[in-house]
Amino acid sequence: MSDKNEQICVFQEKYNTSIKRKQYDFTWRISQLSTWLANVEGVQCSPVFPNNSKEKIRWELRFYPKSYTVDQYCSLFLKMHSSMNPQKDVPVTSNLALMDSKGNIFFKLVVSAKFKANESRGYTQFFLLETLLQKIQPEDELSIKCTIEAQVEIVTEPEKVMKLPEIVSSSLSQDLETLVGDEQFGDVTMVVCGEKQLAHRNILAARSPVFAAMFSHPLKESVENCVVVEDVEPTVFKALLRYIYTDKVTCLDTKAQELYAAADKYGLPALKSLCRNNILEKLCPENAADTLKLADLHSDLEMKRYTLAFFSGSKAAQMTKTAGWKDMVRTHPHLVDEAFDALAARVS
């Protein structure tokens, strides 16, 4: 019998065993495919993906323009690079799709197989080469999209038995938004193209180094508690104030370039970055010249580099026919030289 005063320590632990899977998405775009095919021989390999050497498993597409079994076909193989046990089988499901320049899929194949380290699997007669060249016309651009789901390993981990209470979300952004256009506590008047609106000096100064400089020195704006803005539309300036107060961005769909310019003027790099990405996401032959001029005006090397790279692609011929390009030839000839330099570097 145990002593009544005996103390028993009880250890309770729970573990969970699960299968760890990873998904890999990769697209290999080949421009001017017919020219490329005429200049290459043997196997052509894509970059190894993902682009992270620390990953235990990485992949590579291996494309043969001419199958070594039947010349009329091309071959496609998927190779696994692995730092895991070389004898271990890795169950894999791969989706292979061929697309034209508009993203239209004209061939799709789903394959399930087991891979070992440095093993390749695929098809020697993957697709008829003549049909492939027909499908990608007239742009002559092929994209090979590969989506892979692999069972990487089986893991056993301690089971989480306790969950911390959820943290109540902050209402700071919503609270500060009520101060935009506030007529009760505002202490500086903003006159934007004749329209008046009260704002708060401390918030403006804390967020913008330009406003901080205005209010820190005996300038007209500081002495008279009034800031006159003539070069920003009222709707754009209201969106600028809303961002300053709340970090929320509005009117990007319609006023991205104007808001970008205002963000640059008042020293708001995060807002400028958001506007830049929005502008570049919508980059097309019709607006590329205007975007290049905007980047040059604001000394934005990132935007200029991206736009010049876009120009040096397959859309160059379309861009030179736009009204924006013709205006740039007249008003910014140095940008025309930079655009052709970028195109020449790409071709060479």
Side-chain angles (χ1 to χ4, degrees), residues 45-90:
C45 302
S46 76
V48 178
F49 61 94
N51 186 20
N52 181 355
S53 59
K54 295 182 180 179
E55 282 289 327
K56 292 182 178 180
I57 292 180
R58 302 171 74 201
W59 303 92
E60 176 186 23
L61 288 174
R62 300 173 64 84
F63 180 75
Y64 292 79
K66 286 188 178 181
S67 168
Y68 51 80
T69 57
V70 181
D71 283 353
Q72 289 82 1
Y73 282 83
C74 57
S75 302
L76 185 65
F77 292 84
L78 180 64
K79 181 176 181 179
M80 184 181 79
H81 299 266
S82 174
S83 60
M84 300 168 63
N85 182 346
Q87 301 305 317
K88 180 181 179 181
D89 286 327
V90 178

mmCIF file of all heavy atoms in Angstrom, residues 45-90:
data_model
loop_
_atom_site.group_PDB
_atom_site.id
_atom_site.type_symbol
_atom_site.label_atom_id
_atom_site.label_comp_id
_atom_site.label_asym_id
_atom_site.label_seq_id
_atom_site.Cartn_x
_atom_site.Cartn_y
_atom_site.Cartn_z
ATOM 1 N N CYS A 45 17.804 23.177 -70.348
ATOM 2 C CA CYS A 45 17.382 23.076 -68.946
ATOM 3 C C CYS A 45 16.895 24.417 -68.420
ATOM 4 O O CYS A 45 17.500 25.460 -68.684
ATOM 5 C CB CYS A 45 18.532 22.571 -68.074
ATOM 6 S SG CYS A 45 19.173 20.962 -68.594
ATOM 7 N N SER A 46 15.809 24.383 -67.681
ATOM 8 C CA SER A 46 15.314 25.581 -67.008
ATOM 9 C C SER A 46 16.189 25.868 -65.793
ATOM 10 O O SER A 46 16.967 25.008 -65.360
ATOM 11 C CB SER A 46 13.871 25.366 -66.549
ATOM 12 O OG SER A 46 13.841 24.529 -65.398
ATOM 13 N N PRO A 47 16.070 27.077 -65.199
ATOM 14 C CA PRO A 47 16.718 27.303 -63.898
ATOM 15 C C PRO A 47 16.160 26.321 -62.868
ATOM 16 O O PRO A 47 15.003 25.890 -62.954
ATOM 17 C CB PRO A 47 16.322 28.747 -63.562
ATOM 18 C CG PRO A 47 15.995 29.379 -64.874
ATOM 19 C CD PRO A 47 15.394 28.289 -65.703
ATOM 20 N N VAL A 48 16.982 25.954 -61.905
ATOM 21 C CA VAL A 48 16.526 25.074 -60.828
ATOM 22 C C VAL A 48 15.633 25.891 -59.893
ATOM 23 O O VAL A 48 15.959 27.020 -59.533
ATOM 24 C CB VAL A 48 17.725 24.492 -60.055
ATOM 25 C CG1 VAL A 48 17.250 23.625 -58.896
ATOM 26 C CG2 VAL A 48 18.600 23.671 -60.999
ATOM 27 N N PHE A 49 14.474 25.344 -59.542
ATOM 28 C CA PHE A 49 13.536 26.070 -58.688
ATOM 29 C C PHE A 49 13.088 25.175 -57.532
ATOM 30 O O PHE A 49 13.133 23.943 -57.648
ATOM 31 C CB PHE A 49 12.321 26.540 -59.516
ATOM 32 C CG PHE A 49 11.531 25.419 -60.155
ATOM 33 C CD1 PHE A 49 10.408 24.869 -59.526
ATOM 34 C CD2 PHE A 49 11.892 24.896 -61.385
ATOM 35 C CE1 PHE A 49 9.678 23.846 -60.107
ATOM 36 C CE2 PHE A 49 11.172 23.866 -61.984
ATOM 37 C CZ PHE A 49 10.067 23.342 -61.334
ATOM 38 N N PRO A 50 12.722 25.773 -56.364
ATOM 39 C CA PRO A 50 12.719 27.211 -56.089
ATOM 40 C C PRO A 50 14.132 27.774 -55.984
ATOM 41 O O PRO A 50 15.086 27.029 -55.766
ATOM 42 C CB PRO A 50 11.986 27.303 -54.745
ATOM 43 C CG PRO A 50 12.220 25.992 -54.093
ATOM 44 C CD PRO A 50 12.244 24.974 -55.201
ATOM 45 N N ASN A 51 14.247 29.100 -56.122
ATOM 46 C CA ASN A 51 15.552 29.755 -56.122
ATOM 47 C C ASN A 51 16.051 29.929 -54.689
ATOM 48 O O ASN A 51 16.255 31.031 -54.211
ATOM 49 C CB ASN A 51 15.441 31.108 -56.827
ATOM 50 C CG ASN A 51 16.788 31.767 -56.994
ATOM 51 O OD1 ASN A 51 17.820 31.109 -56.929
ATOM 52 N ND2 ASN A 51 16.786 33.071 -57.187
ATOM 53 N N ASN A 52 16.217 28.827 -54.007
ATOM 54 C CA ASN A 52 16.648 28.826 -52.607
ATOM 55 C C ASN A 52 17.458 27.559 -52.367
ATOM 56 O O ASN A 52 16.907 26.461 -52.292
ATOM 57 C CB ASN A 52 15.442 28.892 -51.664
ATOM 58 C CG ASN A 52 15.842 28.911 -50.199
ATOM 59 O OD1 ASN A 52 17.026 28.781 -49.857
ATOM 60 N ND2 ASN A 52 14.872 29.069 -49.316
ATOM 61 N N SER A 53 18.773 27.718 -52.272
ATOM 62 C CA SER A 53 19.650 26.553 -52.178
ATOM 63 C C SER A 53 19.478 25.777 -50.877
ATOM 64 O O SER A 53 19.970 24.658 -50.750
ATOM 65 C CB SER A 53 21.108 27.004 -52.309
ATOM 66 O OG SER A 53 21.437 27.948 -51.288
ATOM 67 N N LYS A 54 18.777 26.347 -49.894
ATOM 68 C CA LYS A 54 18.590 25.668 -48.619
ATOM 69 C C LYS A 54 17.417 24.686 -48.638
ATOM 70 O O LYS A 54 17.239 23.904 -47.706
ATOM 71 C CB LYS A 54 18.385 26.698 -47.500
ATOM 72 C CG LYS A 54 19.607 27.568 -47.251
ATOM 73 C CD LYS A 54 19.372 28.534 -46.096
ATOM 74 C CE LYS A 54 20.598 29.402 -45.847
ATOM 75 N NZ LYS A 54 20.376 30.364 -44.730
ATOM 76 N N GLU A 55 16.606 24.723 -49.689
ATOM 77 C CA GLU A 55 15.477 23.798 -49.790
ATOM 78 C C GLU A 55 15.993 22.366 -49.970
ATOM 79 O O GLU A 55 16.931 22.121 -50.736
ATOM 80 C CB GLU A 55 14.588 24.171 -50.977
ATOM 81 C CG GLU A 55 13.674 25.346 -50.732
ATOM 82 C CD GLU A 55 12.549 24.998 -49.776
ATOM 83 O OE1 GLU A 55 12.085 23.849 -49.782
ATOM 84 O OE2 GLU A 55 12.150 25.892 -48.999
ATOM 85 N N LYS A 56 15.365 21.437 -49.267
ATOM 86 C CA LYS A 56 15.791 20.037 -49.372
ATOM 87 C C LYS A 56 15.509 19.458 -50.753
ATOM 88 O O LYS A 56 16.250 18.608 -51.245
ATOM 89 C CB LYS A 56 15.084 19.199 -48.308
ATOM 90 C CG LYS A 56 15.518 19.505 -46.878
ATOM 91 C CD LYS A 56 14.807 18.590 -45.902
ATOM 92 C CE LYS A 56 15.255 18.853 -44.469
ATOM 93 N NZ LYS A 56 14.562 17.965 -43.501
ATOM 94 N N ILE A 57 14.409 19.905 -51.354
ATOM 95 C CA ILE A 57 14.034 19.388 -52.675
ATOM 96 C C ILE A 57 13.884 20.563 -53.629
ATOM 97 O O ILE A 57 13.205 21.553 -53.315
ATOM 98 C CB ILE A 57 12.718 18.587 -52.606
ATOM 99 C CG1 ILE A 57 12.939 17.295 -51.814
ATOM 100 C CG2 ILE A 57 12.208 18.261 -54.000
ATOM 101 C CD1 ILE A 57 11.708 16.445 -51.692
ATOM 102 N N ARG A 58 14.516 20.445 -54.806
ATOM 103 C CA ARG A 58 14.394 21.457 -55.854
ATOM 104 C C ARG A 58 14.169 20.735 -57.187
ATOM 105 O O ARG A 58 14.406 19.525 -57.299
ATOM 106 C CB ARG A 58 15.640 22.347 -55.903
ATOM 107 C CG ARG A 58 15.920 23.045 -54.570
ATOM 108 C CD ARG A 58 17.271 23.737 -54.564
ATOM 109 N NE ARG A 58 17.258 24.937 -55.365
ATOM 110 C CZ ARG A 58 18.352 25.507 -55.860
ATOM 111 N NH1 ARG A 58 19.544 24.949 -55.666
ATOM 112 N NH2 ARG A 58 18.274 26.626 -56.560
ATOM 113 N N TRP A 59 13.740 21.504 -58.185
ATOM 114 C CA TRP A 59 13.303 20.878 -59.440
ATOM 115 C C TRP A 59 13.916 21.573 -60.646
ATOM 116 O O TRP A 59 14.378 22.707 -60.577
ATOM 117 C CB TRP A 59 11.766 20.938 -59.531
ATOM 118 C CG TRP A 59 11.094 20.294 -58.361
ATOM 119 C CD1 TRP A 59 10.705 20.905 -57.203
ATOM 120 C CD2 TRP A 59 10.771 18.914 -58.213
ATOM 121 N NE1 TRP A 59 10.152 19.991 -56.348
ATOM 122 C CE2 TRP A 59 10.177 18.760 -56.931
ATOM 123 C CE3 TRP A 59 10.909 17.796 -59.020
ATOM 124 C CZ2 TRP A 59 9.727 17.535 -56.471
ATOM 125 C CZ3 TRP A 59 10.464 16.579 -58.569
ATOM 126 C CH2 TRP A 59 9.874 16.461 -57.295
ATOM 127 N N GLU A 60 13.825 20.862 -61.757
ATOM 128 C CA GLU A 60 14.368 21.382 -63.007
ATOM 129 C C GLU A 60 13.588 20.773 -64.173
ATOM 130 O O GLU A 60 13.317 19.569 -64.184
ATOM 131 C CB GLU A 60 15.855 21.021 -63.116
ATOM 132 C CG GLU A 60 16.506 21.424 -64.428
ATOM 133 C CD GLU A 60 17.936 20.910 -64.514
ATOM 134 O OE1 GLU A 60 18.274 19.919 -63.818
ATOM 135 O OE2 GLU A 60 18.709 21.491 -65.285
ATOM 136 N N LEU A 61 13.184 21.622 -65.125
ATOM 137 C CA LEU A 61 12.564 21.132 -66.358
ATOM 138 C C LEU A 61 13.660 20.899 -67.398
ATOM 139 O O LEU A 61 14.565 21.721 -67.568
ATOM 140 C CB LEU A 61 11.560 22.159 -66.889
ATOM 141 C CG LEU A 61 10.264 22.310 -66.089
ATOM 142 C CD1 LEU A 61 9.435 23.454 -66.652
ATOM 143 C CD2 LEU A 61 9.455 21.020 -66.119
ATOM 144 N N ARG A 62 13.564 19.781 -68.096
ATOM 145 C CA ARG A 62 14.542 19.436 -69.134
ATOM 146 C C ARG A 62 13.775 19.229 -70.450
ATOM 147 O O ARG A 62 12.964 18.306 -70.564
ATOM 148 C CB ARG A 62 15.332 18.190 -68.737
ATOM 149 C CG ARG A 62 16.092 18.382 -67.422
ATOM 150 C CD ARG A 62 16.736 17.096 -66.923
ATOM 151 N NE ARG A 62 17.753 16.585 -67.823
ATOM 152 C CZ ARG A 62 19.021 16.998 -67.834
ATOM 153 N NH1 ARG A 62 19.405 17.918 -66.968
ATOM 154 N NH2 ARG A 62 19.895 16.481 -68.670
ATOM 155 N N PHE A 63 14.043 20.116 -71.405
ATOM 156 C CA PHE A 63 13.287 20.162 -72.654
ATOM 157 C C PHE A 63 14.199 19.767 -73.824
ATOM 158 O O PHE A 63 15.283 20.322 -73.995
ATOM 159 C CB PHE A 63 12.744 21.577 -72.864
ATOM 160 C CG PHE A 63 11.948 21.754 -74.129
ATOM 161 C CD1 PHE A 63 10.661 21.246 -74.229
ATOM 162 C CD2 PHE A 63 12.473 22.437 -75.219
ATOM 163 C CE1 PHE A 63 9.922 21.413 -75.387
ATOM 164 C CE2 PHE A 63 11.747 22.608 -76.377
ATOM 165 C CZ PHE A 63 10.459 22.091 -76.463
ATOM 166 N N TYR A 64 13.745 18.782 -74.602
ATOM 167 C CA TYR A 64 14.481 18.356 -75.790
ATOM 168 C C TYR A 64 13.687 18.827 -77.020
ATOM 169 O O TYR A 64 12.582 18.314 -77.280
ATOM 170 C CB TYR A 64 14.626 16.844 -75.843
ATOM 171 C CG TYR A 64 15.521 16.248 -74.791
ATOM 172 C CD1 TYR A 64 15.054 16.054 -73.484
ATOM 173 C CD2 TYR A 64 16.830 15.870 -75.089
ATOM 174 C CE1 TYR A 64 15.877 15.493 -72.510
ATOM 175 C CE2 TYR A 64 17.657 15.307 -74.131
ATOM 176 C CZ TYR A 64 17.172 15.122 -72.840
ATOM 177 O OH TYR A 64 17.982 14.575 -71.879
ATOM 178 N N PRO A 65 14.188 19.816 -77.784
ATOM 179 C CA PRO A 65 13.461 20.266 -78.985
ATOM 180 C C PRO A 65 13.173 19.124 -79.953
ATOM 181 O O PRO A 65 12.133 19.113 -80.609
ATOM 182 C CB PRO A 65 14.412 21.303 -79.593
ATOM 183 C CG PRO A 65 15.222 21.793 -78.437
ATOM 184 C CD PRO A 65 15.400 20.610 -77.545
ATOM 185 N N LYS A 66 14.099 18.161 -80.005
ATOM 186 C CA LYS A 66 13.866 16.979 -80.839
ATOM 187 C C LYS A 66 14.033 15.749 -79.961
ATOM 188 O O LYS A 66 15.081 15.556 -79.343
ATOM 189 C CB LYS A 66 14.854 16.937 -82.012
ATOM 190 C CG LYS A 66 14.544 17.943 -83.104
ATOM 191 C CD LYS A 66 15.442 17.723 -84.307
ATOM 192 C CE LYS A 66 15.094 18.692 -85.425
ATOM 193 N NZ LYS A 66 15.957 18.483 -86.628
ATOM 194 N N SER A 67 13.002 14.938 -79.942
ATOM 195 C CA SER A 67 13.071 13.706 -79.153
ATOM 196 C C SER A 67 14.138 12.791 -79.728
ATOM 197 O O SER A 67 14.333 12.730 -80.952
ATOM 198 C CB SER A 67 11.711 13.002 -79.164
ATOM 199 O OG SER A 67 11.817 11.698 -78.640
ATOM 200 N N TYR A 68 14.840 12.091 -78.839
ATOM 201 C CA TYR A 68 15.864 11.175 -79.327
ATOM 202 C C TYR A 68 15.263 9.851 -79.806
ATOM 203 O O TYR A 68 15.981 8.938 -80.219
ATOM 204 C CB TYR A 68 16.942 10.923 -78.267
ATOM 205 C CG TYR A 68 16.432 10.523 -76.910
ATOM 206 C CD1 TYR A 68 16.033 9.224 -76.626
ATOM 207 C CD2 TYR A 68 16.351 11.470 -75.888
ATOM 208 C CE1 TYR A 68 15.585 8.863 -75.377
ATOM 209 C CE2 TYR A 68 15.889 11.120 -74.631
ATOM 210 C CZ TYR A 68 15.514 9.809 -74.366
ATOM 211 O OH TYR A 68 15.053 9.468 -73.125
ATOM 212 N N THR A 69 13.925 9.739 -79.769
ATOM 213 C CA THR A 69 13.272 8.543 -80.314
ATOM 214 C C THR A 69 12.561 8.849 -81.633
ATOM 215 O O THR A 69 12.676 8.095 -82.594
ATOM 216 C CB THR A 69 12.264 7.964 -79.316
ATOM 217 O OG1 THR A 69 11.291 8.978 -78.980
ATOM 218 C CG2 THR A 69 12.968 7.505 -78.042
ATOM 219 N N VAL A 70 11.840 9.990 -81.682
ATOM 220 C CA VAL A 70 11.127 10.380 -82.906
ATOM 221 C C VAL A 70 11.349 11.871 -83.123
ATOM 222 O O VAL A 70 10.926 12.694 -82.304
ATOM 223 C CB VAL A 70 9.614 10.088 -82.809
ATOM 224 C CG1 VAL A 70 8.922 10.478 -84.113
ATOM 225 C CG2 VAL A 70 9.372 8.619 -82.505
ATOM 226 N N ASP A 71 12.006 12.268 -84.226
ATOM 227 C CA ASP A 71 12.390 13.663 -84.459
ATOM 228 C C ASP A 71 11.203 14.618 -84.492
ATOM 229 O O ASP A 71 11.332 15.793 -84.169
ATOM 230 C CB ASP A 71 13.156 13.780 -85.790
ATOM 231 C CG ASP A 71 14.588 13.304 -85.665
ATOM 232 O OD1 ASP A 71 15.008 13.016 -84.528
ATOM 233 O OD2 ASP A 71 15.276 13.216 -86.697
ATOM 234 N N GLN A 72 10.047 14.114 -84.906
ATOM 235 C CA GLN A 72 8.894 15.005 -85.072
ATOM 236 C C GLN A 72 8.319 15.478 -83.716
ATOM 237 O O GLN A 72 7.503 16.392 -83.671
ATOM 238 C CB GLN A 72 7.779 14.300 -85.867
ATOM 239 C CG GLN A 72 8.103 14.097 -87.336
ATOM 240 C CD GLN A 72 8.971 12.878 -87.561
ATOM 241 O OE1 GLN A 72 9.309 12.175 -86.615
ATOM 242 N NE2 GLN A 72 9.355 12.632 -88.817
ATOM 243 N N TYR A 73 8.746 14.865 -82.646
ATOM 244 C CA TYR A 73 8.238 15.200 -81.319
ATOM 245 C C TYR A 73 9.319 15.918 -80.496
ATOM 246 O O TYR A 73 10.520 15.764 -80.748
ATOM 247 C CB TYR A 73 7.808 13.944 -80.559
ATOM 248 C CG TYR A 73 6.471 13.401 -80.991
ATOM 249 C CD1 TYR A 73 6.366 12.574 -82.115
ATOM 250 C CD2 TYR A 73 5.309 13.715 -80.291
ATOM 251 C CE1 TYR A 73 5.139 12.071 -82.532
ATOM 252 C CE2 TYR A 73 4.086 13.211 -80.683
ATOM 253 C CZ TYR A 73 3.998 12.395 -81.800
ATOM 254 O OH TYR A 73 2.785 11.903 -82.186
ATOM 255 N N CYS A 74 8.844 16.710 -79.511
ATOM 256 C CA CYS A 74 9.748 17.241 -78.506
ATOM 257 C C CYS A 74 9.559 16.416 -77.218
ATOM 258 O O CYS A 74 8.526 15.775 -77.030
ATOM 259 C CB CYS A 74 9.485 18.723 -78.225
ATOM 260 S SG CYS A 74 7.796 19.092 -77.688
ATOM 261 N N SER A 75 10.575 16.439 -76.365
ATOM 262 C CA SER A 75 10.533 15.678 -75.116
ATOM 263 C C SER A 75 10.544 16.641 -73.935
ATOM 264 O O SER A 75 11.136 17.728 -74.005
ATOM 265 C CB SER A 75 11.735 14.737 -75.006
ATOM 266 O OG SER A 75 11.785 13.853 -76.097
ATOM 267 N N LEU A 76 9.909 16.231 -72.847
ATOM 268 C CA LEU A 76 9.906 17.054 -71.638
ATOM 269 C C LEU A 76 10.051 16.148 -70.420
ATOM 270 O O LEU A 76 9.319 15.167 -70.268
ATOM 271 C CB LEU A 76 8.617 17.875 -71.523
ATOM 272 C CG LEU A 76 8.562 18.856 -70.341
ATOM 273 C CD1 LEU A 76 9.618 19.946 -70.523
ATOM 274 C CD2 LEU A 76 7.182 19.490 -70.235
ATOM 275 N N PHE A 77 11.022 16.491 -69.558
ATOM 276 C CA PHE A 77 11.278 15.706 -68.359
ATOM 277 C C PHE A 77 11.337 16.629 -67.148
ATOM 278 O O PHE A 77 11.682 17.812 -67.262
ATOM 279 C CB PHE A 77 12.603 14.935 -68.479
ATOM 280 C CG PHE A 77 12.583 13.847 -69.507
ATOM 281 C CD1 PHE A 77 12.828 14.130 -70.844
ATOM 282 C CD2 PHE A 77 12.305 12.543 -69.137
ATOM 283 C CE1 PHE A 77 12.805 13.128 -71.796
ATOM 284 C CE2 PHE A 77 12.280 11.525 -70.079
ATOM 285 C CZ PHE A 77 12.526 11.820 -71.407
ATOM 286 N N LEU A 78 11.008 16.079 -65.998
ATOM 287 C CA LEU A 78 11.097 16.782 -64.727
ATOM 288 C C LEU A 78 12.156 16.087 -63.886
ATOM 289 O O LEU A 78 12.093 14.875 -63.681
ATOM 290 C CB LEU A 78 9.745 16.759 -64.005
ATOM 291 C CG LEU A 78 9.661 17.452 -62.649
ATOM 292 C CD1 LEU A 78 9.909 18.941 -62.801
ATOM 293 C CD2 LEU A 78 8.278 17.208 -62.021
ATOM 294 N N LYS A 79 13.145 16.850 -63.414
ATOM 295 C CA LYS A 79 14.231 16.266 -62.628
ATOM 296 C C LYS A 79 14.178 16.789 -61.200
ATOM 297 O O LYS A 79 13.974 17.987 -60.977
ATOM 298 C CB LYS A 79 15.589 16.609 -63.246
ATOM 299 C CG LYS A 79 16.771 16.014 -62.481
ATOM 300 C CD LYS A 79 18.098 16.298 -63.179
ATOM 301 C CE LYS A 79 19.265 15.685 -62.421
ATOM 302 N NZ LYS A 79 20.564 15.921 -63.088
ATOM 303 N N MET A 80 14.364 15.888 -60.217
ATOM 304 C CA MET A 80 14.364 16.264 -58.806
ATOM 305 C C MET A 80 15.793 16.321 -58.280
ATOM 306 O O MET A 80 16.542 15.363 -58.401
ATOM 307 C CB MET A 80 13.551 15.274 -57.964
ATOM 308 C CG MET A 80 13.431 15.680 -56.502
ATOM 309 S SD MET A 80 12.484 14.499 -55.485
ATOM 310 C CE MET A 80 13.739 13.233 -55.204
ATOM 311 N N HIS A 81 16.153 17.465 -57.704
ATOM 312 C CA HIS A 81 17.420 17.607 -56.988
ATOM 313 C C HIS A 81 17.096 17.523 -55.499
ATOM 314 O O HIS A 81 16.249 18.265 -55.002
ATOM 315 C CB HIS A 81 18.083 18.954 -57.295
ATOM 316 C CG HIS A 81 18.414 19.136 -58.734
ATOM 317 N ND1 HIS A 81 19.639 18.835 -59.266
ATOM 318 C CD2 HIS A 81 17.665 19.597 -59.768
ATOM 319 C CE1 HIS A 81 19.645 19.107 -60.560
ATOM 320 N NE2 HIS A 81 18.451 19.574 -60.892
ATOM 321 N N SER A 82 17.786 16.648 -54.769
ATOM 322 C CA SER A 82 17.430 16.435 -53.366
ATOM 323 C C SER A 82 18.674 16.224 -52.518
ATOM 324 O O SER A 82 19.639 15.577 -52.941
ATOM 325 C CB SER A 82 16.496 15.226 -53.227
ATOM 326 O OG SER A 82 16.268 14.930 -51.871
ATOM 327 N N SER A 83 18.629 16.824 -51.311
ATOM 328 C CA SER A 83 19.698 16.593 -50.337
ATOM 329 C C SER A 83 19.274 15.548 -49.308
ATOM 330 O O SER A 83 19.963 15.328 -48.320
ATOM 331 C CB SER A 83 20.041 17.909 -49.633
ATOM 332 O OG SER A 83 18.897 18.432 -48.959
ATOM 333 N N MET A 84 18.130 14.906 -49.547
ATOM 334 C CA MET A 84 17.631 13.883 -48.640
ATOM 335 C C MET A 84 18.273 12.534 -48.976
ATOM 336 O O MET A 84 19.127 12.434 -49.859
ATOM 337 C CB MET A 84 16.099 13.816 -48.736
ATOM 338 C CG MET A 84 15.404 15.132 -48.373
ATOM 339 S SD MET A 84 13.653 15.173 -48.816
ATOM 340 C CE MET A 84 13.017 13.851 -47.798
ATOM 341 N N ASN A 85 17.870 11.490 -48.273
ATOM 342 C CA ASN A 85 18.363 10.139 -48.518
ATOM 343 C C ASN A 85 18.186 9.795 -50.005
ATOM 344 O O ASN A 85 17.070 9.787 -50.522
ATOM 345 C CB ASN A 85 17.581 9.151 -47.654
ATOM 346 C CG ASN A 85 18.080 7.727 -47.811
ATOM 347 O OD1 ASN A 85 18.822 7.404 -48.734
ATOM 348 N ND2 ASN A 85 17.669 6.870 -46.902
ATOM 349 N N PRO A 86 19.283 9.500 -50.735
ATOM 350 C CA PRO A 86 19.174 9.262 -52.178
ATOM 351 C C PRO A 86 18.334 8.040 -52.545
ATOM 352 O O PRO A 86 17.888 7.912 -53.685
ATOM 353 C CB PRO A 86 20.640 9.082 -52.619
ATOM 354 C CG PRO A 86 21.376 8.705 -51.384
ATOM 355 C CD PRO A 86 20.680 9.405 -50.265
ATOM 356 N N GLN A 87 18.119 7.143 -51.578
ATOM 357 C CA GLN A 87 17.312 5.946 -51.854
ATOM 358 C C GLN A 87 15.844 6.146 -51.525
ATOM 359 O O GLN A 87 15.023 5.270 -51.776
ATOM 360 C CB GLN A 87 17.865 4.762 -51.048
ATOM 361 C CG GLN A 87 19.315 4.423 -51.356
ATOM 362 C CD GLN A 87 19.534 4.160 -52.842
ATOM 363 O OE1 GLN A 87 18.727 3.480 -53.488
ATOM 364 N NE2 GLN A 87 20.610 4.711 -53.385
ATOM 365 N N LYS A 88 15.524 7.304 -50.945
ATOM 366 C CA LYS A 88 14.147 7.525 -50.510
ATOM 367 C C LYS A 88 13.251 7.890 -51.682
ATOM 368 O O LYS A 88 13.588 8.749 -52.508
ATOM 369 C CB LYS A 88 14.100 8.638 -49.460
ATOM 370 C CG LYS A 88 12.690 8.938 -48.957
ATOM 371 C CD LYS A 88 12.690 10.054 -47.929
ATOM 372 C CE LYS A 88 11.274 10.361 -47.468
ATOM 373 N NZ LYS A 88 11.238 11.457 -46.471
ATOM 374 N N ASP A 89 12.080 7.252 -51.755
ATOM 375 C CA ASP A 89 11.080 7.597 -52.767
ATOM 376 C C ASP A 89 10.261 8.784 -52.293
ATOM 377 O O ASP A 89 9.794 8.821 -51.147
ATOM 378 C CB ASP A 89 10.139 6.418 -53.031
ATOM 379 C CG ASP A 89 10.826 5.329 -53.837
ATOM 380 O OD1 ASP A 89 11.685 5.675 -54.676
ATOM 381 O OD2 ASP A 89 10.513 4.145 -53.617
ATOM 382 N N VAL A 90 10.073 9.772 -53.164
ATOM 383 C CA VAL A 90 9.262 10.938 -52.855
ATOM 384 C C VAL A 90 8.029 10.917 -53.758
ATOM 385 O O VAL A 90 8.145 11.115 -54.977
ATOM 386 C CB VAL A 90 10.049 12.246 -53.062
ATOM 387 C CG1 VAL A 90 9.162 13.458 -52.785
ATOM 388 C CG2 VAL A 90 11.292 12.270 -52.171
#
